[in-house]
Each structure stands twice: as C-alpha cells, then as structure tokens.
Amino acid sequence: MTSRFFSRVLILAISVLLPLFAHGQTSVTGQWSAVQTWPNASPGWVPTHVMVLPTGKVLYWSSYGDGLNPHFWDPATNAVTTAALPGYNVFCAGHSFLADGKLFVSGGHIDDYVGYIHASIYDPFANTWTQVPDMNAGRWYPTNTTLANGDVLVVSGTIHGPASSQVYNDTPQVYQRSSNSWRTLSSAVLHLQLYPFMFLAPNGKVFLAGWNPDTRYLDTSGTGSWTFVANSVHGWRNYGSAVMYDVGKILLVGGDGDSSTRTPTNTAEVIDLNAATPAWHAVASMVNHRRQQNATVLPDGTVLVTGGSSASGFDTPSGAVFAAELWDPATNTWTTLASAAKYRGYHSWALLLPDGRVLNGGGQLNQTNQANGSNAQVFSPPYLFKGARPTITSAPSTVSYGQTTLIGTSDAIAKVSWIRLSAVTHSFNQEQRFIPLSFTAGTGGVNVTFPSSANISPPGYYMLFLLNSAGVPSVAKIINIGGSAPHPPPPGSGTITGKVTNISTGAALSGATVSYSGGSTTSNTTGMYTLSSVAAGTVKVTAARTGYLSRSSNVTATSNTTSTANFALATAGKLAGVVKTASGTAISGATVKITGGKIATTVTKTTSSTGSYDSGWIPLGSYTITVSKTGFTTQSKTATVNTGATTTVNFTM
C-alpha cells in the first residue's frame, strides 16, 4: 500500500512539475511552431519576398516562375489564399512601403542576373497592382528605401548577366510619388553589391551600411552625392544582415564566408549615426558563425537572429544553424534560444508579426541539399511566456508627427515601441526600424508622443506595442503616420475580379476597360482586373477594348466577398461612310440598317448633317448595308468587316 501510494504521489508531482518546467524553459528559449506547408507550383520554388501589410495579413511571392503568383498568409488562421497578379515576374525585386500603405516594387526577374525595367505599386486595401513609369534600366536584386518626403530611393541591381560578367545598374534613382516620375541621381553613380543595406538616417540622408566595408551617406537631393562615413570593423559582410535597432543605431551581424577559404563570421558591430563623427564599434559576437541568416528587431528592443550556415561556401546546408540567438543591446549579450526544424539559408527571410511572434521561412536548400520546399515556421519569443499580455483598448488609426495621443489600456505600461512594417528578402529587411516612444501615465491609458521627424520615422504604417514591466508586449495596433491613409472597403461592399481574353485565341487582353456604374479599371498584362468597394447587389459590368466587341454581364457583389466575372471579347471592326445626292449634297437623317456578321448582328444608324454614319465596333464578317429615306430610292450594298479596321461604304442616292 505504501509503495503504491508513493508511486501515485510521484506521478502526480511529475504531472504538475513537467508543465511548469516546460513553461519555464519556453520563457527562456522561446518556442517554434510546427512547420507549415504553403501551396506552391514547384518544390524548387520557395517563398522569397515577404511583407506585413497594413491589413495585418502577410503578402508573399516565391522564387523563379512563381514570382508571377503572389499569395496571402493570414496569421490568425494560417490560411493561404491567392492575391492579385502583378502582370510580370517580381521575383528578385526591391520593395518598400509608401506613405499611404501601398507597396512600391522595383525591378524583377527576366532571367538570372537579368532585371526588369518595370516598377509597380500594390494596393493592399484594393488588392490591385498598378504599373508606374519604367526605370532608367533593369534592376535584379535592388534595394528600396522610403525617404522622409514619401518618395522612394532605388539603388543597385543588375541589368543583365552572365554571372561571370554582370552589368550593374550603378545609377540611383528616386521615384517621385506626387508626379509619378523618376529623378535620376546622375552625380551619385557608384558600384554597390546586390541588395545593399540602406537606411534613412536621422540627418535625412540615406546610409549605406554594407555589404561594402566603406560605409557612406547618400544625399538624394538634386542629382545626388555620396560622402564617406567610416569603414566597418569586419569588412565585407556579404549575405550577413543589418538592422536599425534604435534611432540612428545600426547593428551589422554575420555574413562573409562565401569561398572555400573563408568561414562565415560570428562577429557583430554597431554604429551610432547620431554621433558627431559616426564610427563602427565591435560588440559581443554571436555563439554561432552564420551566413545567410536573418536579423529581426523585437518589440522589447532586442534583436533575434535566425538561420544561416556556419560552413564555408555560398549556401551550405551541412553547416546549418538551427538555434536562434537573441542580442540585448542594453547588456551587449547573446542568448541561445530554441532550435528551428529547417535549414534557412539562401532565399530565407524572417519578420515580426503584429502579435509579437516572428514568421520565418524560405531557404532554397534543406539540410540534405535538396529543394527545401514552400514552408514556414512561427517563433514565439521568450517574452510570450512571461505572463499576461497588456491590451490596447483604443488607439487612433492615424497620427501626425510630434502628436501626443492617449492610447487606451488598463495595464501598467513600462515601455512603448514603434516598429515599421516589414518588407524582407534575401536576409535583409528593407523597411525594418525600431523607435522607442516616450509616454506618460494618463486617465484610461498612456499618453504617447509619436516621432517628431520623418527622418526618424518615414511616413507610412507602423506597429505600436505597449510592454509591461516583465517585457511582455501587447498585440500591436497598426497606425499610419504622415500619410494619407486609405481606408478598407466600407461595410456592405465586395470585390469583383476576373480576366479579359481574346475569344478566338484565349490570349490575355491587357488595356481593356472594365466598368460599372460606380467606377472602372483597366486589365493588366495578364488580362486581370479588379473592381473594389462595389456596393452589395447586382451590377452591370462591361468590358471594352479598341478593336474588340464589348461585352456586358450582370454580376452580384457580396459583402466582404470576391466575385469573379471573366470576359472573352471577339475581335471586331467598323463600317462607315457618307450618303450624298448625285450632285454631292449630303443627305442627313437617312436610315442606315446594317445586318450580318459571324455573330448575327443588326445595327441601325441615322446619317448626320454631313451625311456620314458609323456602325461602331461590330463582329467580323459579311454585312448588308441598306440606306433609305423618304423621297429617295432605297439602296443596298454588301461589305466585309475586318479585324480592327474601318471599311468604308459610301452611297449616292
């Protein structure tokens, strides 16, 4: 009896202590989710470009051929759904957010090292792409940087290959949002590496932090100019990572080791651009040597490093580093955290979600040197296991620079952080920056003062986090600063989307106007169109294009739902002419009846004061044209309508 009793007590004790032990471990090391498989067309195509949208969803597109097919991932449900099509391959593009929350995308993938000249804007609220004027030349692996005035600097990228003799686009350009035009920085031509680490600095210039060891400022005014700032400590950090972990303060970590004679570095260094003479200083080194790793700033101001390889070579799975590491700038210490399940090397990424977790995925190869596949994991940092989270009960959707606003909460708050939404690819987040905000206690919350300068906080959308004394963050409130923030579609509205094609060949038709009583849009290069914010109910949608017969369809728009309406247009032509008397006098008011065509058609027109008529676009084929008017003898003629052409048929009565 006694032995059995003690056995039961021991089992009970273990059952109680194990969860406590596990919880204690996760509060130190954090926890990875199970691997999530994302749909993809090929096992060799992996998620490569990933952004957190102002809507809270994640937009991503994959490598190579799948750069034509963006998707959404919903952090709340893990569901993956299709997004609107850009119309060309945006793999290997640059990307940053505009002041209104739209995503600006530069360049893309024609072939390895061969970049598109195109640039486009993706609207996350309407789920539409709009192409803007082309750049000065192609860009493959460029970096975007949103400037204080909302314009976008684009640097680097290759125009064409091959790998042994790449031709770089060394001339920076600025996309000017207000005029939808480009300004070329012709005085700032400089050879940079691919996807260079660029940051808007507190002085309004753009700081080049790497890969190059000779770091510099770029003044984007006028035709541009570069000035030297300082040499980094380690030197080249190719496929390392960089992050602005505080206002004007940048951490460089890992990289190098792309040859058989060099090992990836574990070193880290920082620079403070607020200093009178900024200089790089070594800080504590990581536990692991890493190349192709990602660095992600967290709401508590620490920096999470994930993935990478410790082995020499471009992308070496045998040196896979699975353990995450956390750098605390306050103590200059690194802490080893839980290990991921997959090797995340070349084409990997990581980004901070609004709920404080970190989404990590991609990687071209797995640990057995095969295709990694389309998958991701979510990491919950240790702070999510340290007790209850603060709650934001109220917050504005937009703020102005320098504004102090009450953020509603019933919790005691020890820290407020402001982190820009992510747009990451190839181990570098082109948008990431962390800004601590000052605050005071208020009635029903905390009075938070937002950044006073667009140099510190370029216009756009940010995640506002409240943290308690244990360092536990709230779920973020996504807020716009300094921009004209568009609003999501109003309640009771839906979206209509579809494709416009040639009925004879099935080929996509770009440039078709698709309209309804409440608005219109134009089909893109893949024939796709989207009508957003359509009031719930049945509407008549019409697709029209020069040289084609327009078609209409009654479509039902449903609240918060996307309806599909495709249009196959037939090529068409026109009949036109003049009706006159034998003496050459114009006959107005004559009735012109046109019948025939491959698609049975009847059109009736009346001649104008000059005696002219025009059938408008009608189907191809043979027609009979009959002209009649009281006092004149009725006449008929036959004619053939050809593709996109006007056939002239005149009458003398």
Side-chain angles (χ1 to χ4, degrees):
M1 288 288 284
T2 303
S3 175
R4 186 175 299 173
F5 171 77
F6 280 115
S7 295
R8 288 176 179 172
V9 171
L10 181 60
I11 292 170
L12 178 62
I14 292 173
S15 67
V16 171
L17 291 174
L18 276 178
L20 293 176
F21 175 76
H23 181 79
Q25 284 294 101
T26 52
S27 67
V28 174
T29 63
Q31 185 178 74
W32 289 91
S33 72
V35 176
Q36 302 175 14
T37 299
W38 288 0
N40 211 347
S42 167
W45 296 345
V46 298
T48 306
H49 301 258
V50 192
M51 307 89 194
V52 176
L53 301 175
T55 60
K57 289 188 177 181
V58 172
L59 175 72
Y60 77 90
W61 56 84
S62 298
S63 53
Y64 303 105
D66 224 27
L68 290 160
N69 303 297
H71 288 79
F72 297 118
W73 176 74
D74 190 335
T77 64
N78 290 332
V80 175
T81 54
T82 56
L85 305 180
Y88 61 96
N89 195 331
V90 287
F91 171 50
C92 298
H95 29 63
S96 66
F97 285 104
L98 300 170
D100 58 5
K102 297 175 183 177
L103 184 73
F104 186 79
V105 178
S106 60
H109 180 84
I110 297 174
D111 201 349
D112 287 348
Y113 310 102
V114 185
Y116 267 111
I117 196 172
H118 302 326
S120 292
I121 294 174
Y122 173 72
D123 184 338
F125 304 100
N127 187 28
T128 57
W129 290 84
T130 302
Q131 200 165 318
V132 302
D134 286 341
M135 299 178 291
N136 60 342
R139 294 187 188 270
W140 187 84
Y141 281 48
T143 292
N144 286 12
T145 307
T146 300
L147 304 177
N149 66 353
D151 291 347
V152 178
L153 169 71
V154 182
V155 300
S156 191
T158 58
I159 301 170
H160 60 77
S164 59
S165 56
Q166 300 167 47
V167 176
Y168 283 73
N169 189 337
D170 292 331
T171 304
Q173 287 187 285
V174 173
Y175 174 71
Q176 301 173 121
R177 182 72 172 114
S178 61
S179 61
N180 189 33
S181 63
W182 290 94
R183 177 164 51 87
T184 299
L185 305 188
S186 55
S187 300
V189 177
L190 181 69
H191 178 66
L192 301 177
Q193 297 306 305
L194 300 177
Y195 283 134
F197 307 147
M198 307 289 290
F199 298 90
L200 179 66
N203 63 5
K205 297 178 182 179
V206 179
F207 181 66
L208 167 67
W211 311 351
N212 304 52
D214 52 330
T215 63
R216 304 165 182 252
Y217 278 134
L218 173 59
D219 185 339
T220 60
S221 63
T223 56
S225 61
W226 290 96
T227 53
F228 175 76
V229 176
N231 284 317
S232 59
V233 177
H234 178 77
W236 288 98
R237 287 189 182 269
N238 39 322
Y239 284 102
S241 198
V243 58
M244 184 175 279
Y245 67 93
D246 202 342
V247 176
K249 298 179 180 180
I250 295 168
L251 169 73
L252 271 179
V253 61
D256 200 356
D258 59 344
S259 71
S260 59
T261 60
R262 295 185 66 85
T263 300
T265 184
N266 66 339
T267 62
E269 55 190 289
V270 298
I271 192 170
D272 184 355
L273 300 178
N274 304 293
T277 306
W280 289 99
H281 302 281
V283 294
S285 295
M286 295 182 292
V287 174
N288 298 283
H289 293 249
R290 298 179 192 256
R291 170 184 168 80
Q292 306 280 9
Q293 84 287 348
N294 282 267
T296 307
V297 67
L298 301 181
D300 60 359
T302 59
V303 178
L304 178 74
V305 174
T306 52
S309 174
S310 62
S312 299
F314 180 76
D315 184 24
T316 313
S318 62
V321 182
F322 299 106
E325 290 186 60
L326 190 71
W327 181 64
D328 187 342
T331 60
N332 187 25
T333 55
W334 290 92
T335 303
T336 301
L337 304 181
S339 292
K342 294 278 188 177
Y343 168 54
R344 304 294 183 190
Y346 179 54
H347 285 165
S348 68
W349 44 268
L351 52 77
L352 178 67
L353 297 171
D355 61 13
R357 299 180 299 164
V358 175
L359 180 66
N360 182 210
Q364 200 62 39
L365 301 173
N366 66 20
Q367 47 264 51
T368 59
N369 211 32
Q370 304 301 312
N372 201 17
S374 184
N375 58 68
Q377 276 187 282
V378 179
F379 181 67
S380 297
Y383 52 54
L384 293 179
F385 302 94
K386 294 184 177 180
R389 307 183 69 164
T391 301
I392 298 177
T393 57
S394 64
S397 58
T398 61
V399 294
S400 302
Y401 287 105
Q403 176 180 335
T404 299
T405 301
L406 180 72
I407 306 299
T409 183
S410 58
D411 300 293
I413 301 303
K415 189 173 187 177
V416 180
S417 58
W418 182 243
I419 302 177
R420 192 166 173 89
L421 296 180
S422 290
V424 60
T425 188
H426 290 74
S427 302
F428 178 57
N429 193 326
Q430 299 180 19
E431 283 288 77
Q432 187 171 224
R433 58 177 53 220
F434 175 92
I435 304 166
L437 299 182
S438 60
F439 66 96
T440 58
T443 303
V446 287
N447 293 307
V448 175
T449 300
F450 290 88
S452 59
S453 170
N455 292 343
I456 293 172
S457 180
Y461 280 88
Y462 291 74
M463 296 180 286
L464 176 74
F465 290 95
L466 304 183
L467 295 89
N468 61 24
S469 58
V472 182
S474 65
V475 172
K477 172 68 175 178
I478 298 177
I479 299 174
N480 180 275
I481 189 169
S484 239
H487 299 287
S493 68
T495 299
I496 298 174
T497 188
K499 189 172 186 178
V500 184
T501 58
N502 183 319
I503 196 171
S504 300
T505 65
L509 290 180
S510 63
T513 299
V514 184
S515 60
Y516 77 111
S517 58
S520 65
T521 188
T522 303
S523 61
N524 64 19
T525 54
T526 65
M528 297 300 297
Y529 75 91
T530 299
L531 296 168
S532 303
S533 303
V534 182
T538 300
V539 295
K540 183 180 180 181
V541 180
T542 300
R545 188 181 189 274
T546 300
Y548 291 81
L549 188 67
S550 63
R551 295 190 69 176
S552 298
S553 179
N554 291 325
V555 185
T556 300
T558 305
S559 179
N560 300 317
T561 301
T562 298
S563 303
T564 301
N566 297 320
F567 294 91
L569 304 186
T571 49
K574 292 182 180 181
L575 289 169
V578 177
V579 181
K580 296 181 178 180
T581 65
S583 62
T585 303
I587 301 176
S588 63
T591 299
V592 181
K593 186 176 182 180
I594 303 166
T595 59
K598 291 182 179 180
I599 301 173
T601 301
T602 298
V603 176
T604 302
K605 298 289 183 177
T606 302
T607 56
S608 68
S609 59
T610 61
S612 61
Y613 72 92
D614 186 323
S615 67
W617 293 108
I618 55 177
L620 307 183
S622 177
Y623 285 85
T624 298
I625 307 100
T626 301
V627 179
S628 61
K629 185 177 182 181
T630 302
F632 293 87
T633 302
T634 299
Q635 291 190 23
S636 294
K637 292 183 179 182
T638 59
T640 300
V641 171
N642 298 306
T643 301
T646 299
T647 301
T648 301
V649 183
N650 298 322
F651 289 85
T652 301
M653 301 178 69

